[in-house]
PDB file of all heavy atoms in Angstrom:
ATOM      1  N   VAL A 885    -130.481 -66.184  72.040  1.00 89.00           N
ATOM      2  CA  VAL A 885    -130.771 -65.791  70.657  1.00 89.00           C
ATOM      3  C   VAL A 885    -129.633 -66.214  69.718  1.00 89.00           C
ATOM      4  O   VAL A 885    -129.856 -66.721  68.624  1.00 89.00           O
ATOM      5  CB  VAL A 885    -130.988 -64.260  70.609  1.00 89.00           C
ATOM      6  CG1 VAL A 885    -130.971 -63.753  69.179  1.00 89.00           C
ATOM      7  CG2 VAL A 885    -132.310 -63.898  71.286  1.00 89.00           C
ATOM      8  N   ASP A 886    -128.385 -66.020  70.174  1.00 89.00           N
ATOM      9  CA  ASP A 886    -127.239 -66.279  69.294  1.00 89.00           C
ATOM     10  C   ASP A 886    -126.909 -67.759  69.123  1.00 89.00           C
ATOM     11  O   ASP A 886    -126.481 -68.176  68.056  1.00 89.00           O
ATOM     12  CB  ASP A 886    -125.978 -65.572  69.839  1.00 89.00           C
ATOM     13  CG  ASP A 886    -126.049 -64.059  69.650  1.00 89.00           C
ATOM     14  OD1 ASP A 886    -126.886 -63.610  68.846  1.00 89.00           O
ATOM     15  OD2 ASP A 886    -125.276 -63.338  70.315  1.00 89.00           O
ATOM     16  N   TYR A 887    -127.049 -68.540  70.212  1.00 90.00           N
ATOM     17  CA  TYR A 887    -126.473 -69.894  70.165  1.00 90.00           C
ATOM     18  C   TYR A 887    -127.470 -71.042  70.296  1.00 90.00           C
ATOM     19  O   TYR A 887    -127.175 -72.154  69.894  1.00 90.00           O
ATOM     20  CB  TYR A 887    -125.388 -70.050  71.244  1.00 90.00           C
ATOM     21  CG  TYR A 887    -124.332 -68.968  71.158  1.00 90.00           C
ATOM     22  CD1 TYR A 887    -123.976 -68.213  72.275  1.00 90.00           C
ATOM     23  CD2 TYR A 887    -123.698 -68.687  69.948  1.00 90.00           C
ATOM     24  CE1 TYR A 887    -123.013 -67.211  72.185  1.00 90.00           C
ATOM     25  CE2 TYR A 887    -122.741 -67.687  69.856  1.00 90.00           C
ATOM     26  CZ  TYR A 887    -122.399 -66.946  70.972  1.00 90.00           C
ATOM     27  OH  TYR A 887    -121.465 -65.965  70.877  1.00 90.00           O
ATOM     28  N   LEU A 888    -128.631 -70.804  70.906  1.00 89.00           N
ATOM     29  CA  LEU A 888    -129.564 -71.937  71.042  1.00 89.00           C
ATOM     30  C   LEU A 888    -130.363 -72.091  69.746  1.00 89.00           C
ATOM     31  O   LEU A 888    -130.674 -71.113  69.080  1.00 89.00           O
ATOM     32  CB  LEU A 888    -130.488 -71.739  72.238  1.00 89.00           C
ATOM     33  CG  LEU A 888    -129.807 -71.931  73.601  1.00 89.00           C
ATOM     34  CD1 LEU A 888    -130.793 -71.706  74.731  1.00 89.00           C
ATOM     35  CD2 LEU A 888    -129.167 -73.309  73.750  1.00 89.00           C
ATOM     36  N   PRO A 889    -130.709 -73.339  69.393  1.00 88.00           N
ATOM     37  CA  PRO A 889    -131.320 -73.583  68.083  1.00 88.00           C
ATOM     38  C   PRO A 889    -132.779 -73.129  68.013  1.00 88.00           C
ATOM     39  O   PRO A 889    -133.483 -73.120  69.024  1.00 88.00           O
ATOM     40  CB  PRO A 889    -131.228 -75.104  67.936  1.00 88.00           C
ATOM     41  CG  PRO A 889    -131.097 -75.625  69.318  1.00 88.00           C
ATOM     42  CD  PRO A 889    -130.436 -74.571  70.132  1.00 88.00           C
ATOM     43  N   SER A 890    -133.219 -72.787  66.804  1.00 85.00           N
ATOM     44  CA  SER A 890    -134.635 -72.514  66.570  1.00 85.00           C
ATOM     45  C   SER A 890    -135.310 -73.867  66.303  1.00 85.00           C
ATOM     46  O   SER A 890    -134.621 -74.869  66.093  1.00 85.00           O
ATOM     47  CB  SER A 890    -134.774 -71.603  65.357  1.00 85.00           C
ATOM     48  OG  SER A 890    -134.499 -72.356  64.187  1.00 85.00           O
ATOM     49  N   PRO A 891    -136.656 -73.916  66.293  1.00 82.00           N
ATOM     50  CA  PRO A 891    -137.337 -75.215  66.093  1.00 82.00           C
ATOM     51  C   PRO A 891    -136.919 -75.923  64.804  1.00 82.00           C
ATOM     52  O   PRO A 891    -136.950 -77.144  64.723  1.00 82.00           O
ATOM     53  CB  PRO A 891    -138.818 -74.828  66.025  1.00 82.00           C
ATOM     54  CG  PRO A 891    -138.916 -73.535  66.749  1.00 82.00           C
ATOM     55  CD  PRO A 891    -137.616 -72.827  66.561  1.00 82.00           C
ATOM     56  N   THR A 892    -136.506 -75.149  63.779  1.00 80.00           N
ATOM     57  CA  THR A 892    -136.167 -75.798  62.498  1.00 80.00           C
ATOM     58  C   THR A 892    -134.766 -76.401  62.527  1.00 80.00           C
ATOM     59  O   THR A 892    -134.408 -77.170  61.652  1.00 80.00           O
ATOM     60  CB  THR A 892    -136.222 -74.782  61.345  1.00 80.00           C
ATOM     61  OG1 THR A 892    -135.426 -73.654  61.724  1.00 80.00           O
ATOM     62  CG2 THR A 892    -137.628 -74.330  61.066  1.00 80.00           C
ATOM     63  N   GLU A 893    -133.962 -76.031  63.541  1.00 81.00           N
ATOM     64  CA  GLU A 893    -132.569 -76.494  63.527  1.00 81.00           C
ATOM     65  C   GLU A 893    -132.331 -77.754  64.348  1.00 81.00           C
ATOM     66  O   GLU A 893    -131.260 -78.330  64.303  1.00 81.00           O
ATOM     67  CB  GLU A 893    -131.655 -75.378  64.064  1.00 81.00           C
ATOM     68  CG  GLU A 893    -131.550 -74.231  63.093  1.00 81.00           C
ATOM     69  CD  GLU A 893    -130.882 -73.011  63.725  1.00 81.00           C
ATOM     70  OE1 GLU A 893    -131.234 -72.653  64.859  1.00 81.00           O
ATOM     71  OE2 GLU A 893    -130.008 -72.443  63.084  1.00 81.00           O
ATOM     72  N   VAL A 894    -133.312 -78.147  65.145  1.00 78.00           N
ATOM     73  CA  VAL A 894    -133.097 -79.357  65.947  1.00 78.00           C
ATOM     74  C   VAL A 894    -133.538 -80.568  65.127  1.00 78.00           C
ATOM     75  O   VAL A 894    -134.280 -80.426  64.153  1.00 78.00           O
ATOM     76  CB  VAL A 894    -133.884 -79.329  67.283  1.00 78.00           C
ATOM     77  CG1 VAL A 894    -133.330 -78.291  68.220  1.00 78.00           C
ATOM     78  CG2 VAL A 894    -135.352 -79.069  67.033  1.00 78.00           C
ATOM     79  N   ASP A 895    -133.076 -81.749  65.546  1.00 76.00           N
ATOM     80  CA  ASP A 895    -133.486 -82.962  64.829  1.00 76.00           C
ATOM     81  C   ASP A 895    -134.998 -83.114  64.956  1.00 76.00           C
ATOM     82  O   ASP A 895    -135.542 -83.012  66.056  1.00 76.00           O
ATOM     83  CB  ASP A 895    -132.793 -84.192  65.437  1.00 76.00           C
ATOM     84  CG  ASP A 895    -131.292 -84.120  65.208  1.00 76.00           C
ATOM     85  OD1 ASP A 895    -130.894 -83.419  64.270  1.00 76.00           O
ATOM     86  OD2 ASP A 895    -130.532 -84.739  65.985  1.00 76.00           O
ATOM     87  N   ALA A 896    -135.656 -83.373  63.833  1.00 73.00           N
ATOM     88  CA  ALA A 896    -137.116 -83.498  63.857  1.00 73.00           C
ATOM     89  C   ALA A 896    -137.535 -84.703  64.698  1.00 73.00           C
ATOM     90  O   ALA A 896    -136.821 -85.705  64.758  1.00 73.00           O
ATOM     91  CB  ALA A 896    -137.627 -83.637  62.430  1.00 73.00           C
ATOM     92  N   GLN A 897    -138.694 -84.598  65.350  1.00 75.00           N
ATOM     93  CA  GLN A 897    -139.204 -85.693  66.205  1.00 75.00           C
ATOM     94  C   GLN A 897    -139.511 -86.928  65.360  1.00 75.00           C
ATOM     95  O   GLN A 897    -140.206 -86.823  64.341  1.00 75.00           O
ATOM     96  CB  GLN A 897    -140.513 -85.249  66.877  1.00 75.00           C
ATOM     97  CG  GLN A 897    -140.307 -84.362  68.066  1.00 75.00           C
ATOM     98  CD  GLN A 897    -139.852 -85.143  69.289  1.00 75.00           C
ATOM     99  OE1 GLN A 897    -140.224 -86.288  69.504  1.00 75.00           O
ATOM    100  NE2 GLN A 897    -139.005 -84.548  70.087  1.00 75.00           N
ATOM    101  N   PRO A 898    -139.035 -88.106  65.786  1.00 74.00           N
ATOM    102  CA  PRO A 898    -139.351 -89.312  65.010  1.00 74.00           C
ATOM    103  C   PRO A 898    -140.815 -89.727  65.198  1.00 74.00           C
ATOM    104  O   PRO A 898    -141.378 -89.532  66.265  1.00 74.00           O
ATOM    105  CB  PRO A 898    -138.414 -90.369  65.617  1.00 74.00           C
ATOM    106  CG  PRO A 898    -138.022 -89.849  66.946  1.00 74.00           C
ATOM    107  CD  PRO A 898    -138.155 -88.369  66.924  1.00 74.00           C
ATOM    108  N   LEU A 899    -141.391 -90.284  64.137  1.00 76.00           N
ATOM    109  CA  LEU A 899    -142.742 -90.861  64.255  1.00 76.00           C
ATOM    110  C   LEU A 899    -142.590 -92.338  64.562  1.00 76.00           C
ATOM    111  O   LEU A 899    -141.642 -92.981  64.118  1.00 76.00           O
ATOM    112  CB  LEU A 899    -143.505 -90.680  62.940  1.00 76.00           C
ATOM    113  CG  LEU A 899    -143.720 -89.230  62.489  1.00 76.00           C
ATOM    114  CD1 LEU A 899    -144.464 -89.194  61.164  1.00 76.00           C
ATOM    115  CD2 LEU A 899    -144.481 -88.436  63.526  1.00 76.00           C
ATOM    116  N   THR A 900    -143.525 -92.891  65.345  1.00 76.00           N
ATOM    117  CA  THR A 900    -143.384 -94.296  65.748  1.00 76.00           C
ATOM    118  C   THR A 900    -144.612 -95.096  65.336  1.00 76.00           C
ATOM    119  O   THR A 900    -145.679 -94.539  65.066  1.00 76.00           O
ATOM    120  CB  THR A 900    -143.220 -94.424  67.281  1.00 76.00           C
ATOM    121  OG1 THR A 900    -144.335 -93.781  67.898  1.00 76.00           O
ATOM    122  CG2 THR A 900    -141.951 -93.772  67.767  1.00 76.00           C
ATOM    123  N   ASN A 901    -144.434 -96.404  65.330  1.00 72.00           N
ATOM    124  CA  ASN A 901    -145.535 -97.310  65.042  1.00 72.00           C
ATOM    125  C   ASN A 901    -146.361 -97.463  66.324  1.00 72.00           C
ATOM    126  O   ASN A 901    -145.834 -97.893  67.345  1.00 72.00           O
ATOM    127  CB  ASN A 901    -144.933 -98.658  64.627  1.00 72.00           C
ATOM    128  CG  ASN A 901    -146.011 -99.686  64.358  1.00 72.00           C
ATOM    129  OD1 ASN A 901    -147.074 -99.660  64.952  1.00 72.00           O
ATOM    130  ND2 ASN A 901    -145.722-100.597  63.454  1.00 72.00           N
ATOM    131  N   PRO A 902    -147.674 -97.110  66.293  1.00 66.00           N
ATOM    132  CA  PRO A 902    -148.456 -97.134  67.532  1.00 66.00           C
ATOM    133  C   PRO A 902    -148.543 -98.526  68.161  1.00 66.00           C
ATOM    134  O   PRO A 902    -148.664 -98.658  69.377  1.00 66.00           O
ATOM    135  CB  PRO A 902    -149.837 -96.638  67.101  1.00 66.00           C
ATOM    136  CG  PRO A 902    -149.839 -96.612  65.611  1.00 66.00           C
ATOM    137  CD  PRO A 902    -148.431 -96.624  65.146  1.00 66.00           C
ATOM    138  N   GLU A 903    -148.460 -99.591  67.341  1.00 64.00           N
ATOM    139  CA  GLU A 903    -148.568-100.950  67.904  1.00 64.00           C
ATOM    140  C   GLU A 903    -147.291-101.322  68.673  1.00 64.00           C
ATOM    141  O   GLU A 903    -147.329-101.766  69.804  1.00 64.00           O
ATOM    142  CB  GLU A 903    -148.762-102.008  66.786  1.00 64.00           C
ATOM    143  CG  GLU A 903    -149.762-101.629  65.719  1.00 64.00           C
ATOM    144  CD  GLU A 903    -151.193-101.765  66.202  1.00 64.00           C
ATOM    145  OE1 GLU A 903    -151.646-102.893  66.307  1.00 64.00           O
ATOM    146  OE2 GLU A 903    -151.840-100.730  66.484  1.00 64.00           O
ATOM    147  N   THR A 904    -146.128-101.116  68.021  1.00 64.00           N
ATOM    148  CA  THR A 904    -144.875-101.630  68.607  1.00 64.00           C
ATOM    149  C   THR A 904    -144.070-100.560  69.331  1.00 64.00           C
ATOM    150  O   THR A 904    -143.187-100.874  70.126  1.00 64.00           O
ATOM    151  CB  THR A 904    -143.972-102.207  67.494  1.00 64.00           C
ATOM    152  OG1 THR A 904    -143.663-101.139  66.587  1.00 64.00           O
ATOM    153  CG2 THR A 904    -144.667-103.316  66.738  1.00 64.00           C
ATOM    154  N   GLY A 905    -144.349 -99.274  69.026  1.00 64.00           N
ATOM    155  CA  GLY A 905    -143.532 -98.213  69.642  1.00 64.00           C
ATOM    156  C   GLY A 905    -142.187 -98.033  68.955  1.00 64.00           C
ATOM    157  O   GLY A 905    -141.367 -97.223  69.360  1.00 64.00           O
ATOM    158  N   GLU A 906    -141.948 -98.814  67.868  1.00 71.00           N
ATOM    159  CA  GLU A 906    -140.670 -98.695  67.147  1.00 71.00           C
ATOM    160  C   GLU A 906    -140.722 -97.508  66.178  1.00 71.00           C
ATOM    161  O   GLU A 906    -141.778 -97.227  65.605  1.00 71.00           O
ATOM    162  CB  GLU A 906    -140.402 -99.975  66.329  1.00 71.00           C
ATOM    163  CG  GLU A 906    -140.158-101.210  67.179  1.00 71.00           C
ATOM    164  CD  GLU A 906    -138.928-101.081  68.066  1.00 71.00           C
ATOM    165  OE1 GLU A 906    -137.880-100.674  67.568  1.00 71.00           O
ATOM    166  OE2 GLU A 906    -139.053-101.362  69.280  1.00 71.00           O
ATOM    167  N   PRO A 907    -139.573 -96.813  65.950  1.00 72.00           N
ATOM    168  CA  PRO A 907    -139.581 -95.708  64.980  1.00 72.00           C
ATOM    169  C   PRO A 907    -139.917 -96.215  63.583  1.00 72.00           C
ATOM    170  O   PRO A 907    -139.496 -97.307  63.188  1.00 72.00           O
ATOM    171  CB  PRO A 907    -138.142 -95.179  65.023  1.00 72.00           C
ATOM    172  CG  PRO A 907    -137.563 -95.711  66.282  1.00 72.00           C
ATOM    173  CD  PRO A 907    -138.286 -96.985  66.603  1.00 72.00           C
ATOM    174  N   THR A 908    -140.676 -95.419  62.818  1.00 73.00           N
ATOM    175  CA  THR A 908    -141.054 -95.837  61.458  1.00 73.00           C
ATOM    176  C   THR A 908    -140.047 -95.338  60.432  1.00 73.00           C
ATOM    177  O   THR A 908    -140.116 -95.686  59.265  1.00 73.00           O
ATOM    178  CB  THR A 908    -142.419 -95.235  61.069  1.00 73.00           C
ATOM    179  OG1 THR A 908    -142.307 -93.804  61.180  1.00 73.00           O
ATOM    180  CG2 THR A 908    -143.531 -95.718  61.964  1.00 73.00           C
ATOM    181  N   GLY A 909    -139.117 -94.477  60.880  1.00 73.00           N
ATOM    182  CA  GLY A 909    -138.165 -93.906  59.919  1.00 73.00           C
ATOM    183  C   GLY A 909    -138.622 -92.551  59.406  1.00 73.00           C
ATOM    184  O   GLY A 909    -137.852 -91.807  58.818  1.00 73.00           O
ATOM    185  N   GLU A 910    -139.915 -92.209  59.637  1.00 75.00           N
ATOM    186  CA  GLU A 910    -140.398 -90.870  59.236  1.00 75.00           C
ATOM    187  C   GLU A 910    -140.198 -89.888  60.383  1.00 75.00           C
ATOM    188  O   GLU A 910    -140.067 -90.290  61.539  1.00 75.00           O
ATOM    189  CB  GLU A 910    -141.895 -90.936  58.916  1.00 75.00           C
ATOM    190  CG  GLU A 910    -142.233 -91.582  57.600  1.00 75.00           C
ATOM    191  CD  GLU A 910    -143.738 -91.488  57.365  1.00 75.00           C
ATOM    192  OE1 GLU A 910    -144.186 -90.431  56.902  1.00 75.00           O
ATOM    193  OE2 GLU A 910    -144.446 -92.462  57.695  1.00 75.00           O
ATOM    194  N   VAL A 911    -140.209 -88.596  60.066  1.00 76.00           N
ATOM    195  CA  VAL A 911    -140.084 -87.581  61.124  1.00 76.00           C
ATOM    196  C   VAL A 911    -141.125 -86.485  60.917  1.00 76.00           C
ATOM    197  O   VAL A 911    -141.666 -86.337  59.831  1.00 76.00           O
ATOM    198  CB  VAL A 911    -138.668 -86.932  61.148  1.00 76.00           C
ATOM    199  CG1 VAL A 911    -137.614 -87.924  61.555  1.00 76.00           C
ATOM    200  CG2 VAL A 911    -138.343 -86.277  59.812  1.00 76.00           C
ATOM    201  N   ALA A 912    -141.401 -85.740  62.020  1.00 72.00           N
ATOM    202  CA  ALA A 912    -142.338 -84.614  61.940  1.00 72.00           C
ATOM    203  C   ALA A 912    -141.538 -83.371  61.550  1.00 72.00           C
ATOM    204  O   ALA A 912    -140.948 -82.715  62.403  1.00 72.00           O
ATOM    205  CB  ALA A 912    -143.012 -84.413  63.286  1.00 72.00           C
TER     206      ALA A 912
END
């Protein structure tokens, strides 16, 4: 409770381009 992050505190999941699998620069 004290030290592990909540879902809002971790780096957001990157979104990727479905064709190439490369990150698009956007996040969820």
